[in-house]
Amino acid sequence: QTAPNTTNANQQLAECLYYGCRNEVEISKFAEGRLKSTEARAFAAKMVKHHQVDCEKLARIAGIAHSDTTSSNGTGESRQESVKPGAGINVEVGGGRPGVDVTVGGARPGDSSRTGIDWATVHRQLANECLRSGMEELEQKKAGQFDASDIGMQIGEHMKMQTELKVLSNYATGELKEQLEQCKQKVATHLKEA
C-alpha cells in the first residue's frame, strides 16, 4: 500500500506534467491547420495523437479532469488563470547565486513558509501563460515562417520536457514513475524527429 504523502506527491507531480502535455496537444492542434509542409502537418498530427494518450494517463493519476477540446480561451480549460503583474510573483536573476530566484507570495525556495503555496496551481498558471504566448507568437508569423517557427517551438518544448521528466522522475513512485519512463523515451524520439 502506498503511503498517503507519496500518493499526494505523485498526484502533484502528475498534475504539473499534465499541463505541459496538454500544451503540446493544444499548440499542435493550433498549428496543424496552418502548417504548409506535409511533413510538418504529419508531425503535428503525431504530436496530438501521442500526447493525448499521455495526457489522459497523467490526468487520471493526478485526479483531475481531462478534456481533449480546446476552450475558447485557447487553454483547454474552462477558466483562465493568468499571473497578473503585482500578483505576488517576482523573478530575479542573480541574488548572489547563479540561476533565477522565484518568490511567490513572499516565499523563496528553501523558506519554510513556502509550504503553504499550491505549486500545482502556480504551474497551471505558468502553463496557461506559456500556451497563450506561444499561440500568440505563432499567429504573428508569416506563412513562410510558420513551419520553421512551429518546429523550433517543438524542439524547445521537448527539450524542456526532457529536463522536467529527468528531474521529476526522481520523486515519482509506482505507476507514475513507470509512466514517466515511457514519456522519456517518447520525448527523445520526438526530439530526433523534429
Side-chain angles (χ1 to χ4, degrees):
Q1 183 170 333
T2 307
N5 286 343
T6 304
T7 300
N8 188 32
N10 276 345
Q11 288 175 324
Q12 290 176 17
L13 291 172
E15 185 173 351
C16 288
L17 289 166
Y18 166 80
Y19 296 113
C21 186
R22 180 220 50 197
N23 281 9
E24 180 59 39
V25 170
E26 297 303 331
I27 204 80
S28 293
K29 284 180 181 179
F30 175 80
E32 197 172 2
R34 294 167 171 84
L35 293 163
K36 299 298 178 201
S37 79
T38 304
E39 295 86 6
R41 280 194 310 276
F43 186 73
K46 184 178 192 175
M47 294 303 95
V48 171
K49 182 178 177 183
H50 283 195
H51 289 88
Q52 190 67 36
V53 172
D54 292 326
C55 286
E56 291 168 4
K57 290 177 183 177
L58 290 168
R60 184 182 50 74
I61 293 168
I64 59 175
H66 169 65
S67 171
D68 62 1
T69 59
T70 306
S71 67
S72 61
N73 63 17
T75 65
E77 293 184 313
S78 59
R79 66 184 190 274
Q80 172 71 25
E81 294 186 30
S82 297
V83 177
K84 306 224 178 348
I89 298 181
N90 301 308
V91 178
E92 297 175 17
V93 177
R97 315 187 298 264
V100 177
D101 289 335
V102 178
T103 304
V104 179
R108 288 188 178 275
D111 289 350
S112 60
S113 60
R114 82 178 210 175
T115 58
I117 295 170
D118 180 353
W119 288 103
T121 297
V122 171
H123 196 82
R124 181 180 65 243
Q125 292 171 344
L126 290 168
N128 288 349
E129 184 59 22
C130 285
L131 180 59
R132 185 204 60 74
S133 65
M135 287 178 167
E136 185 178 282
E137 183 65 27
L138 282 176
E139 206 165 42
Q140 294 176 14
K141 298 298 177 190
K142 291 181 173 63
Q145 300 172 319
F146 192 93
D147 288 21
S149 297
D150 178 63
I151 294 298
M153 187 177 287
Q154 290 288 345
I155 291 168
E157 286 300 313
H158 279 83
M159 290 174 66
K160 176 181 174 268
M161 183 55 70
Q162 192 171 48
T163 302
E164 287 182 9
L165 290 168
K166 179 180 178 182
V167 172
L168 295 179
S169 66
N170 293 325
Y171 299 94
T173 59
E175 180 186 12
L176 179 61
K177 188 157 186 84
E178 292 172 20
Q179 177 64 30
L180 299 188
E181 292 304 318
Q182 292 172 14
C183 288
K184 283 181 190 179
Q185 293 172 9
K186 285 183 186 178
V187 168
T189 300
H190 292 163
L191 263 173
K192 287 179 187 175
E193 293 172 354

